[in-house]
């Protein structure tokens, strides 16, 4: 058969169908070339693998062709609307096959997002503005989550079956330095639960009106109360607490006092359950029985006994309002004061706060219609002053003061609150030595009995003592005397109190500052042999030569104890005889700031300083007996200072609490400065105002002190083993003002060298019995002799040459100049040699070192323009300026 008649083989693509597919496929791209256009045999009879364009075939059957057609047309419609990029269409067609243009690939639209933010299709600020759908969705999700969490919390948190340890008060146990138990004290025996029917209605309503007005309506928590508390707090106003009575009851009864989210979380859900399951009167009863009212009293019954000495059921409406005020914080609302814990919690400040809140609570009760008009007028008539603090069992003698001192130390050196501490469970080891404490108390009692007769002499009444004994180079307080005892109604700790000026016992700090810094006129340290004017009524000068002025702009005259004309005497002699005027002028020359800085470095708290005027040098400041003993211990320890401490370890239920290591030792002054101060103070005992301390029978150094108008007298002295201070003063029991001791003990006046020195000596004999006499290190000469302004220049002694002419007869005219007085046993003899300061100079007529000026000079009234703020040294405080100085506490 001829070739042209032979039927050509059919392509595997499938004849006409394939052609149609080819046309369909080319419709979306470039048109397909006709068969034979290329001249290749394969153009007419292509292979199975490739089409006429040389590309792999994409379709294999009719169904697939239809699907391809659908995809192609649909894609074309979608892409037709897309913009061109770079001047080229990005839609279908073009050399790149179906659905592709000549330019960049067509953009693929974003997939639909769950959260449309930033918002698609929006520009500028609208892109970042969330839609209402998003906002509402998030709110629904948030509150839904809260409800879920609340539901889970409510289901998981249950009401404990038993009260926790915080609701069951325990005792704190104190130990002596040797580890033996001193006393178990606290609130363990000072809590008695009473039923709601034995709690006056006035007490119940006072607490509700003050703490939680919606108590009987809320469900254990009060969201509006929390919001109101936050709003008032933001405005700076007073507010009820955000916690309801139910929440406070739950916290007191079932939970710890820690401030944590976990505890708050539990408190809220337990409160909700308690609020729905427990009757309100039962909750209120539990709250009043577990709350802390101060003075170690837990519960309303113990509080009624502690403050008013009566049963809770017998409380009056006015007294109920007072006790309700204590729930805001007894540290700051007990009129007795707690400034040993916080210096702002003084008796006067607490009284003011208490009266204000007491009146406010009564007003709220009246506004809430809980008391009638007549009852309100009766209750508001007079503030119900509570009784003084009472002695707790076992807190007699000095034990109460020892516990008071140790407690303050613990609270001021830890994060333990007073409320937590009074719940008990603590074991406190102290530095107190039983034998030393007893010896100090015996010394005070012995000298009191010898010198004072309060039954027959009015001026012997209301005399008080405060004393403390500290270890040099360590700071441990081994003994203190705080007063006659809690059992006698004396609750102020006189060993750790303020308001009693220290007088001339301050002068060693002035001398030490001069020997370290010198004066504005000296080139370097000043020698204690430098001479200053010791005459009475000295006009004190500023560094520029002008006179210090009083408030009326007249010159300030510094007085001595007597009018004895000392003339220019050495600072050593002035310290020996406690002459005031040299040290006032010396303080001005050295700079009172330098004096203050040295005293602070030595251990005196700056909070106890008086104003830095001229009289600052004479001891107008009011540090405690503990701080004075510690500061003099710095002299005994060659200038090394260790802060006083009374606690060596604290355990809670047997577990050690950190933070009670020994204080760090610092060098407060150069060693030789301290040695020279000690040498000068040894001379005070050997030849000066402290000679009664010679009865100690061993090497010691010390200084006497007396204040203006004889309102206090001190002696502070030391050996290398112990530094001890003794203060004596009279105090009006009603006003707490200091009274003059002129005429006390049958003496014209009481000085530091009298009764205080006798007490010091008696105690030190017992405390150092069996101990060796260590003496003191030798002092090396220090500084240059730089006399004060106006001191006469020393006259050279003319050399006498032997006369070649023998006088045949004595002069007929005797010399009119009197001979200088011979040195007396009291003339100063130290390592510098002996000096004769007994005679007055500048025309004075002295009679030796034991002249009439040989007593402690009291501080004169302070000059203007500054004022001490001490009320003339008349008023004594409690705590500020003591061992811990309030917040340092």
């Amino acid at each position: 058969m001829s070739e042209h008649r032979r039927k050509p083989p059919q392509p595997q693509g499938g004849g006409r169908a394939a052609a149609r597919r080819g046309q369909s496929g080319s419709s979306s791209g470039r048109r397909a070339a006709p068969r034979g256009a290329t001249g290749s045999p394969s153009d007419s009879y292509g292979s199975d693998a490739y089409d006429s364009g040389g590309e792999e075939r994409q379709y294999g059957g009719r169904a697939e062709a239809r699907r391809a057609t659908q995809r192609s047309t649909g894609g074309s419609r979608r892409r037709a609307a897309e913009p061109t990029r770079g001047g080229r269409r990005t839609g279908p067609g073009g050399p790149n096959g179906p659905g592709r243009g000549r330019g960049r690939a067509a953009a693929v639209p974003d997939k639909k997002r769950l959260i449309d933010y930033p918002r698609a299709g929006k520009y500028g600020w609208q892109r970042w503005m969330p839609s209402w759908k998003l906002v509402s969705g998030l709110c629904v999700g948030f509150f839904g989550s809260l409800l879920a969490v609340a539901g889970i919390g409510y289901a998981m948190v249950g009401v404990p079956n038993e009260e926790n340890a915080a609701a069951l008060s325990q005792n704190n146990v104190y130990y002596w330095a040797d580890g033996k138990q001193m006393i178990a004290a606290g609130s363990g025996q000072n809590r008695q639960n009473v039923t709601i029917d034995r709690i006056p209605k006035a007490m119940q309503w006072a607490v509700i009106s003050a703490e939680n007005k919606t108590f009987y309506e809320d469900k254990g928590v009060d969201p509006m109360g929390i919001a109101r508390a936050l709003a008032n707090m933001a405005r700076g106003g007073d507010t009820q607490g955000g916690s309801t009575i139910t929440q406070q009851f739950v916290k007191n009864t079932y939970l710890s006092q820690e401030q944590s989210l976990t505890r708050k979380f539990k408190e809220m859900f337990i409160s909700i359950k308690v609020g729905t399951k427990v009757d309100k009167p039962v909750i209120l009863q539990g709250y009043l029985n577990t709350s802390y009212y101060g003075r170690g009293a837990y519960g309303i019954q113990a509080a009624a006994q502690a403050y008013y000495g009566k049963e809770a059921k017998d409380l009056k409406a006015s007294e109920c309002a007072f006790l309700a005020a204590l729930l805001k914080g007894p540290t700051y609302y007990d009129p007795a004061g707690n400034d040993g814990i916080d210096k702002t919690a003084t008796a006067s400040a607490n009284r003011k706060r208490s009266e204000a809140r007491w009146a406010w609570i009564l007003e709220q009760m009246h506004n809430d219609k809980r008391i009638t008009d007549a009852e309100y007028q009766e209750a508001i008539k007079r503030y119900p002053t509570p009784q003084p603090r009472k002695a707790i069992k076992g807190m007699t003698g000095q034990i109460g003061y020892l516990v008071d001192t140790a407690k303050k130390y613990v609270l001021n050196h830890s994060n333990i609150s007073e409320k937590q501490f009074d719940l008990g469970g603590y074991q406190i080891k102290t530095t107190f030595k039983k034998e030393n404490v007893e010896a100090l108390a015996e010394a005070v009692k012995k000298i009191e009995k010898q010198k004072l007769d309060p039954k027959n002499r009015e001026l012997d009444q209301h005399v008080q003592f405060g004393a403390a004994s500290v270890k040099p180079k360590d700071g441990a307080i081994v003994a203190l005397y705080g007063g006659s005892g809690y059992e006698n109604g004396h609750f102020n700790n006189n060993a750790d109190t303020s308001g009693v000026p220290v007088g001339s016992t301050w002068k060693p700090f002035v001398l030490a500052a001069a020997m370290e810094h010198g004066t504005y006129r000296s080139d370097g340290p000043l020698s204690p042999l430098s001479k200053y004017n010791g005459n009475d009524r000295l006009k004190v000068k500023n560094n520029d030569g002008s006179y210090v002025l009083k408030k009326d702009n007249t010159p300030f005259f510094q007085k001595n104890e007597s009018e004895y004309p000392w003339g220019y005497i050495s600072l050593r002699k002035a310290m020996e005889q406690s002459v005031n005027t040299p040290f006032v002028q010396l303080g001005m020359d050295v700079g009172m700031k330098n004096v203050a800085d040295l005293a602070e470095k030595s251990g005196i708290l700056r909070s106890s300083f008086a104003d830095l005027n001229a009289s600052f040098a004479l001891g107008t400041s009011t540090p405690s007996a503990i701080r004075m003993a510690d500061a003099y211990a710095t002299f005994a320890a060659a200038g090394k200072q260790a802060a006083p401490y009374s606690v060596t370890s604290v355990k809670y239920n047997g577990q050690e609490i950190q933070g009670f290591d020994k204080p760090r030792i610092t060098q407060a002054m150069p060693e030789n400065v301290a040695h020279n101060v000690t040498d000068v103070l040894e001379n005070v005992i050997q030849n000066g105002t402290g000679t009664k301390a010679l009865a100690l029978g061993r090497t010691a150094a010390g200084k006497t002190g007396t204040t203006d108008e004889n309102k206090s007298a001190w002696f502070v002295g030391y050996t290398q083993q112990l530094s001890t201070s003794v203060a004596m003063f009279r105090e009006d029991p009603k006003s707490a003002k200091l009274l003059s001791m002129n005429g006390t003990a049958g003496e014209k006046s009481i000085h530091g060298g009298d009764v205080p020195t006798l007490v010091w000596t008696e105690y030190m004999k017992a405390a150092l019995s069996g101990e060796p006499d260590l003496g003191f290190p030798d002092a090396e000469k220090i500084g240059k002799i730089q006399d004060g302004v106006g001191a006469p220049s020393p006259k050279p002694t003319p050399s006498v040459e032997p006369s070649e002419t023998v006088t045949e007869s004595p002069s007929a005219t005797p010399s009119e100049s009197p001979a200088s007085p011979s040195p007396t046993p009291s003339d100063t003899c130290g390592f510098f040699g002996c000096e004769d300061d007994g005679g007055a100079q500048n025309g004075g007529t002295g009679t030796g070192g034991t002249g009439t000026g040989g007593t402690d000079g009291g501080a004169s009234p302070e000059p203007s323009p500054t004022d001490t703020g001490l009320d003339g040294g008349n008023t004594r405080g409690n705590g500020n300026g003591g061992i811990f100085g309030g917040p340092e506490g």
Side-chain angles (χ1 to χ4, degrees):
M1 184 177 294
S2 62
E3 184 174 340
H4 71 275
R5 294 185 61 143
R6 185 182 301 159
K7 188 176 182 178
Q10 294 296 322
Q12 296 181 7
R16 295 178 181 177
R20 286 195 300 270
R21 288 194 297 270
Q23 292 174 0
S24 175
S26 65
S27 66
S28 61
R30 184 177 295 175
R31 188 168 186 173
R35 292 181 181 179
T38 63
S40 172
S42 62
D43 287 342
S44 297
Y45 310 101
S47 65
D48 292 337
Y50 293 94
D51 64 11
S52 61
E55 294 181 354
E56 185 178 358
R57 290 184 179 178
Q58 302 178 17
Y59 317 115
R62 294 180 179 178
E64 187 174 348
R66 283 195 299 270
R67 289 193 297 270
T69 301
Q70 292 171 359
R71 286 195 299 269
S72 177
T73 57
S76 298
R77 285 193 302 269
R78 285 193 300 269
R79 293 180 179 88
E82 293 185 5
T84 60
R85 296 181 182 176
R88 296 185 179 182
R89 186 178 181 82
T90 59
N96 297 324
R100 297 185 181 183
R102 291 185 176 89
R104 300 170 62 183
V108 179
D110 294 338
K111 294 181 179 179
K112 191 172 183 180
R113 294 177 295 174
L114 179 63
I115 300 177
D116 184 20
Y117 192 81
R119 298 175 66 184
K122 301 292 183 180
Y123 301 94
W125 64 270
Q126 292 180 328
R127 180 173 173 80
W128 302 99
M129 178 65 69
S131 66
W132 69 269
K133 292 182 179 180
L134 177 61
V135 172
S136 60
L138 290 176
C139 289
V140 170
F142 174 74
F143 287 110
S145 299
L146 284 182
L147 289 174
V149 171
I152 295 172
Y154 185 82
M156 293 180 61
V157 176
V159 179
N161 294 324
E162 297 180 355
E163 295 180 347
N164 71 340
L168 302 174
S169 55
Q170 308 172 59
N171 281 324
N172 292 321
V173 182
Y174 295 83
Y175 298 90
W176 295 104
D178 61 5
K180 294 181 180 179
Q181 182 172 319
M182 179 195 304
I183 187 175
S187 57
Q189 299 176 352
N190 196 21
R191 176 184 169 193
Q192 301 174 32
N193 290 340
V194 291
T195 55
I196 193 69
D197 59 296
R198 299 184 63 193
I199 301 175
K201 286 289 185 181
M203 186 68 207
Q204 299 177 41
W205 290 120
V207 172
I208 292 172
S209 292
E211 303 287 335
N212 183 192
K213 291 180 182 291
T214 62
F215 171 68
Y216 279 105
E217 290 79 37
D218 62 47
K219 301 301 182 182
V221 294
D222 181 14
M224 292 303 297
I226 296 174
R228 184 170 57 252
L230 293 175
N232 288 345
M233 189 182 302
R235 292 195 299 265
D238 194 11
T239 176
Q240 298 180 41
S243 296
T244 63
I245 287 176
T246 304
Q247 285 177 272
Q248 295 179 65
F249 163 68
V250 167
K251 181 177 66 174
N252 291 344
T253 306
Y254 302 114
L255 301 174
S256 68
Q257 302 296 315
E258 66 173 336
Q259 296 295 325
S260 67
L261 290 176
T262 301
R263 202 270 293 162
K264 285 286 186 182
F265 182 84
K266 290 181 179 178
E267 176 190 304
M268 181 174 66
F269 290 114
I270 294 175
S271 298
I272 294 173
K273 287 192 173 183
V274 169
T276 56
K277 295 180 179 180
V278 181
D279 292 338
K280 291 292 186 177
V282 176
I283 295 174
L284 184 59
Q285 170 186 298
Y287 172 63
L288 292 173
N289 278 328
T290 57
S291 294
Y292 183 62
Y293 296 82
R295 299 191 184 184
Y298 276 85
I300 184 62
Q301 178 72 2
Q305 293 285 356
Y307 288 93
Y308 294 109
K310 60 173 64 174
E311 297 287 316
K313 63 182 179 63
D314 298 325
L315 290 170
K316 298 177 181 178
S318 182
E319 296 166 340
C320 290
F322 168 85
L323 294 177
L326 291 172
L327 295 176
K328 192 172 178 67
T331 298
Y332 303 97
Y333 287 86
D334 182 354
N338 287 284
D339 50 353
I341 297 173
D342 189 328
K343 67 178 183 180
T344 65
T346 62
S348 59
N350 280 15
R351 173 69 180 251
K352 185 176 181 180
R353 278 189 287 261
S354 176
E355 286 194 27
R357 187 160 179 83
W358 162 79
W360 178 81
I361 290 175
L362 287 175
E363 181 182 20
Q364 295 302 305
M365 294 171 67
H366 183 237
N367 293 342
D368 296 340
K369 308 300 182 183
R370 304 307 182 187
I371 54 177
T372 65
D373 292 346
E375 289 172 335
Y376 173 70
Q377 293 299 330
E378 178 64 25
I380 201 70
K381 186 182 301 182
R382 186 167 60 90
Y383 176 76
T385 303
Q387 297 175 346
R389 288 192 177 99
K390 297 178 181 179
I392 300 173
K393 183 179 179 181
M395 301 280 278
T396 57
Q398 297 306 302
I399 299 297
Y401 308 118
L402 300 179
V403 168
D404 171 74
T405 303
K407 176 182 175 180
K408 289 178 183 177
Y409 190 88
V410 171
L411 296 182
N412 285 283
H413 289 79
S414 70
N415 293 323
I416 303 169
S417 69
E418 184 183 18
K419 181 177 181 179
Q420 287 175 296
F421 188 82
D422 284 347
L423 281 170
Y426 294 92
Q427 297 87 46
I428 304 100
K429 186 177 180 181
T430 72
T431 59
F432 305 126
K433 293 185 177 181
K434 184 177 181 180
E435 59 274 17
N436 289 60
V437 172
E438 291 176 347
L440 186 53
E442 285 297 321
V444 173
K445 289 179 181 178
K446 181 178 179 179
I447 303 304
E448 271 187 321
K449 187 175 181 179
Q450 289 180 0
K451 293 289 185 176
L452 303 178
D453 186 9
K455 291 183 179 180
N456 299 313
R457 284 198 297 258
E458 182 180 353
L459 294 177
D460 288 2
Q461 296 176 5
H462 313 307
V463 173
Q464 297 184 34
F465 291 88
S469 191
V470 174
K471 286 176 63 177
K473 300 181 183 178
D474 184 277
I477 307 170
V478 298
L480 57 80
Y481 182 86
S484 59
Y486 286 7
E487 69 275 20
N488 295 313
H490 185 86
F491 292 93
N492 286 333
N493 185 352
N494 291 347
D496 186 20
T497 191
S498 67
V500 183
V502 296
S504 294
T505 57
W506 195 260
K507 291 174 182 175
F509 301 124
V510 183
L511 180 61
M515 289 194 289
E516 180 175 356
H517 301 287
T519 69
Y520 77 99
R521 298 176 57 246
S522 67
D523 183 16
L526 197 71
S527 167
L529 293 184
S530 301
K531 294 184 177 182
Y532 271 71
N533 193 339
N535 287 331
D536 189 39
R537 290 184 58 78
L538 176 72
K539 286 198 292 185
V540 182
K541 292 185 177 181
N542 295 304
N543 292 171
D544 61 3
S546 63
Y547 291 116
V548 175
L549 302 178
K550 296 187 296 184
K551 292 180 179 179
D552 60 0
N553 289 325
T554 58
F556 166 72
F557 291 88
Q558 177 58 54
K559 296 180 180 180
N560 289 328
E561 177 72 9
S562 73
E563 298 178 359
Y564 184 79
W566 289 100
Y568 279 85
I569 55 174
S570 71
L571 298 173
R572 180 182 176 85
K573 186 71 175 182
M575 185 75 76
E576 172 193 299
Q577 298 299 322
S578 202
V579 186
N580 287 340
T581 50
F583 287 99
V584 173
Q585 188 59 63
L586 178 65
M588 297 297 293
D589 293 352
V590 173
M592 293 302 179
K593 183 180 184 302
N594 286 331
V595 176
D597 289 345
L598 187 137
E600 185 176 21
K601 290 178 181 178
S602 299
I604 304 297
L605 294 176
R606 187 168 286 272
S607 59
S608 67
F609 287 175
D611 288 341
L612 304 187
N613 54 30
S615 292
F616 180 75
L618 299 183
T620 51
S621 298
T622 60
S624 68
I626 293 175
R627 284 287 173 175
M628 285 301 290
D630 182 68
Y632 271 51
T634 303
F635 298 138
K640 294 180 176 62
Q641 206 284 321
Y645 68 101
S646 58
V647 175
T648 58
S649 71
V650 177
K651 295 181 180 180
Y652 181 68
N653 291 331
Q655 297 296 317
E656 188 84 23
I657 295 178
Q658 301 300 314
F660 293 95
D661 298 328
K662 287 185 177 181
R664 184 171 59 92
I665 295 177
T666 60
Q667 191 71 37
M669 66 189 75
E671 286 191 6
N672 198 37
V673 170
H675 293 332
N676 273 273
V677 170
T678 295
D679 180 80
V680 172
L681 297 186
E682 279 187 88
N683 184 60
V684 171
I685 291 178
Q686 292 292 328
N687 303 304
T689 57
T691 53
K692 289 181 180 179
L694 288 172
L696 177 61
R698 63 173 67 219
T699 306
K703 182 69 185 77
T704 58
T706 305
T707 56
D708 189 40
E709 298 183 26
N710 203 205
K711 291 177 179 176
S712 64
W714 290 73
F715 184 78
V716 189
Y718 55 90
T719 66
Q720 285 205 62
Q721 296 100 323
L722 283 179
S723 175
T724 303
S725 65
V726 178
M728 177 183 177
F729 56 93
R730 287 183 70 218
E731 182 182 68
D732 186 331
K734 294 182 179 179
S735 65
K737 288 185 176 294
L738 296 182
L739 305 173
S740 174
M741 290 189 291
N742 290 333
T744 297
E747 302 288 342
K748 182 179 179 180
S749 60
I750 295 291
H751 298 94
D754 298 326
V755 177
T757 303
L758 294 176
V759 172
W760 182 91
T761 306
E762 192 69 26
Y763 162 71
M764 293 290 277
K765 280 182 182 179
L768 296 173
S769 178
E771 297 289 333
D773 184 354
L774 300 179
F776 293 110
D778 292 335
E780 299 177 1
K781 290 186 178 181
I782 191 170
K784 297 180 180 179
I785 297 177
Q786 177 77 56
D787 296 338
V789 174
S793 301
K795 297 179 180 179
T797 303
S799 57
V800 179
E801 298 182 0
S803 175
E804 295 182 359
T805 303
V806 178
T807 303
E808 296 182 356
S809 62
S811 174
T813 306
S815 173
E816 296 180 0
S817 301
S820 299
S822 301
T824 66
S826 64
D827 284 337
T828 303
C829 292
F831 67 88
F832 294 107
C834 293
E835 54 171 318
D836 178 13
D837 285 318
Q841 299 178 32
N842 290 354
T845 56
T847 58
T850 56
T852 58
T855 55
D856 303 308
S860 297
E862 300 185 16
S864 177
T866 56
D867 194 2
T868 63
L870 290 175
D871 192 21
N874 290 341
T875 305
R876 185 169 70 92
N878 180 30
N880 183 21
I883 173 177
F884 311 123
E888 290 187 31

